[in-house]
């Protein structure tokens, strides 16, 4: 692969404190050298190494940041729940089936239809700067449908999560224990070869603490690393189970006790916040400031799904985090890049230090602060993944 030199960068976010100013490692008047899909050098333009060759790209006095790392997404689904959203926003009661509506549509969809929808959403996310994305199952809820959901997800990302424990499907109504046994047994057997992660929605109306612990423990025994949906709808044991079992992340976290915050601050589990869900449901936003001040590692993700957060835009989530979750612009950008990488236990993405993958986003702005300063404006001008251009503004 030929090299690439990006010059004329007004502000470069490296997420490497050793490369520049502050936790974001910001370098002003910068340049970036890419070789064989990796960052070879990053620093002040005046110190650009002699002989740095390859294609030249002039950033034109604009900002460059690492590609966003979206560590929580539900992309394998069929159908549409716009009527549900409209009713919720209009204050009208809505009696359709929520997640179960999507489950029915997903089960009926062909593999090609599911594949096309994932492809569309991944491309949409890429255009807004997301270069690494996680993808969950969870809308099949049969052995065959969960396994095929994971196969489809795996065509688009290596960060594939088995979420058979999303909700209890209608055919197991009134017997959640039997369904939990299926998730931890025959369904896990069929799904484990296609996944890296295992997740459980541990919350009111989904799975309780005992079920969650049993499912995650079974997944660990099959080599899958736990993640947990926790504290979205109300307080519960999800966070502490996540930390106890060494989960990579606990996600949502709208409702947290002091013990939950202490556990996240003292353990290796990343606190992943999903402000798109609060925006789309008019729920209280998580208090990111409380987590950050306690010492927890925080990630931001889009939670793209058809019911409660139908967005792939991390820039939108960054703006929400700054406006409504008490994060600074620097913290929000770090959480949407390096924080997401930590939540996926990746050291090769989320930063632009030498050796990192050359997943690069050029902003049509002089600084990363504009992501929250100019909410709703399409600021992503160009995206490179592994040093190759993959998206550009029209």
């Amino acid at each position: 692969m030929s090299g690439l030199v990006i010059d004329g960068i007004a502000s470069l976010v490296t997420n490497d404190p050793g490369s520049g100013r502050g936790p974001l490692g910001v370098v002003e008047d910068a340049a970036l050298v890419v070789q064989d899909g990796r960052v070879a050098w990053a620093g002040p333009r005046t110190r650009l190494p002699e002989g740095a060759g390859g294609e030249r790209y002039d950033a034109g006095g604009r900002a460059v940041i690492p590609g966003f790392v979206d560590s929580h997404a539900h992309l394998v689904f069929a159908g549409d729940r716009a009527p549900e959203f409209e009713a919720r926003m209009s204050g009208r009661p809505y009696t359709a089936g929520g997640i179960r509506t999507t489950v029915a549509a997903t089960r009926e969809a062909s593999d090609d239809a599911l594949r096309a929808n994932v492809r569309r959403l991944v491309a949409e996310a890429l255009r807004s700067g997301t270069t690494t994305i996680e993808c969950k199952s969870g809308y099949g809820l049969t052995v065959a449908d969960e396994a095929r959901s994971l196969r489809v997800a795996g065509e688009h990302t290596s960060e594939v999560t088995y979420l058979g424990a999303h909700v209890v499907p209608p055919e197991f109504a009134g017997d959640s224990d039997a369904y939990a046994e299926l998730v931890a047994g025959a369904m896990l057997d069929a799904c484990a070869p296609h996944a890296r992660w295992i997740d459980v929605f541990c919350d009111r109306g989904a799975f309780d603490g005992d079920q969650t612990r049993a499912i995650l423990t079974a997944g660990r025994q099959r080599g899958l690393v736990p993640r947990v949906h926790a504290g979205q709808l109300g307080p519960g044991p999800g966070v502490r189970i996540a930390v106890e079992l060494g989960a990579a992340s606990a996600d949502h976290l709208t409702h947290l006790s002091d013990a939950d915050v202490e556990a996240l601050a003292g353990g290796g589990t990343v606190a992943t916040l999903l402000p798109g869900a609060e925006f789309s449901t008019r729920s209280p936003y998580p208090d990111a400031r409380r987590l950050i001040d306690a010492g927890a590692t925080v990630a931001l993700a889009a939670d793209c799904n058809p019911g409660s957060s139908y967005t792939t835009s991390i820039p939108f989530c960054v703006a929400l985090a700054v406006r409504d979750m008490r994060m600074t612009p620097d913290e929000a950008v770090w959480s949407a890049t390096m924080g997401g990488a930590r939540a996926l236990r990746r050291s090769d993405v989320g930063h632009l230090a030498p050796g990192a993958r050359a997943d690069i986003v050029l902003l049509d702005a002089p600084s990363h602060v504009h992501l929250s300063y100019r909410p709703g404006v399409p600021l992503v001008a160009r995206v490179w993944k592994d040093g190759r251009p993959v998206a550009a503004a029209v």
Side-chain angles (χ1 to χ4, degrees), residues 4-61:
L4 170 69
V5 177
I6 304 176
D7 202 351
I9 302 171
S11 175
L12 171 65
V13 172
T14 67
N15 281 338
D16 175 20
S19 295
R21 171 175 50 81
L24 294 186
V26 176
V27 182
E28 275 90 19
D29 191 17
L32 191 66
V33 179
V34 174
Q35 193 67 45
D36 297 326
R38 299 273 178 164
V39 175
W41 181 88
R45 180 184 56 81
T46 55
R47 299 181 189 171
L48 186 64
E50 289 186 17
E55 177 190 353
R56 293 268 171 164
Y57 186 89
D58 183 2

Side-chain angles (χ1 to χ4, degrees), residues 163-184:
L163 182 60
H166 197 183
V167 295
V168 178
E171 58 268 29
F172 283 87
D175 197 355
S176 63
D177 284 340
Y179 181 67
E181 289 175 8
L182 176 66
V183 170

Side-chain angles (χ1 to χ4, degrees), residues 86-374:
E86 181 183 22
R88 187 164 61 236
M89 294 299 105
S90 302
R92 299 195 308 268
Y94 186 76
T95 57
I99 290 176
R100 291 175 180 84
T101 300
T102 303
V103 169
T106 302
R107 288 177 177 180
E108 293 174 2
S110 68
D111 289 3
D112 285 345
L114 294 178
R115 187 174 291 116
N117 194 50
V118 176
R119 185 165 52 246
R120 172 181 68 87
L121 292 169
V122 169
E124 182 180 279
L126 192 62
R127 290 193 298 272
S128 67
T130 295
T131 52
T132 302
I133 194 165
E134 181 260 13
C135 186
K136 305 179 191 295
S137 66
Y139 291 122
L141 308 187
T142 68
V143 172
D145 284 306
E146 284 296 293
R148 77 161 176 153
S149 292
L150 293 170
R151 289 195 298 270
V152 168
E155 295 173 6
H156 300 275
T157 179
S158 61
E159 303 298 343
V160 178
T161 300
Y162 166 48
L163 182 60
H166 197 183
V167 295
V168 178
E171 58 268 29
F172 283 87
D175 197 355
S176 63
D177 284 340
Y179 181 67
E181 289 175 8
L182 176 66
V183 170
M187 190 181 287
L188 174 62
D189 292 339
C191 290
H194 307 292
R196 180 184 179 198
W197 311 97
I198 183 169
D199 199 343
V200 177
F201 189 3
C202 181
D203 216 323
R204 184 178 69 238
F207 296 87
D208 65 24
D210 291 340
Q211 293 165 337
T212 297
R213 186 177 284 103
I215 292 167
L216 294 179
T217 299
R220 285 204 312 178
Q221 291 169 350
R222 294 298 303 271
L224 303 183
V225 181
R227 322 184 71 81
V228 182
H229 283 58
Q232 179 184 9
L233 306 177
V239 167
R240 278 157 288 170
I241 291 172
V243 175
E244 170 196 330
L245 296 182
S249 69
D251 301 25
H252 283 292
L253 311 183
T254 308
H255 302 275
L256 291 176
S257 68
D258 290 344
D260 292 334
V261 174
E262 183 178 355
L264 289 166
T269 298
V270 174
T272 300
L273 307 182
L274 312 171
E278 280 72 40
F279 177 89
S280 296
T281 59
R282 286 189 175 147
S283 299
Y285 285 93
D287 188 351
R289 180 86 273 126
R290 182 183 178 200
L291 287 161
I292 292 169
D293 288 350
T297 300
V298 173
L300 282 177
D303 189 22
C304 181
N305 74 83
S308 62
S309 184
Y310 201 5
T311 181
T312 55
S313 175
I314 295 294
F316 172 66
C317 294
V318 166
L320 289 179
V322 172
R323 170 63 180 81
D324 292 304
M325 287 163 44
R326 300 204 296 155
M327 298 182 86
T328 68
D330 282 12
E331 288 168 344
V333 168
W334 189 94
S335 294
T337 51
M338 200 67 167
R342 296 270 180 90
L344 293 177
R345 294 186 173 172
R346 295 279 296 270
S347 61
D348 59 333
V349 296
H351 63 108
L352 293 175
R357 289 184 179 274
D359 294 351
I360 303 162
V361 173
L362 174 70
L363 299 178
D364 193 12
S367 164
H368 64 278
V369 176
H370 283 235
L371 288 165
S372 47
Y373 177 47
R374 302 195 68 210

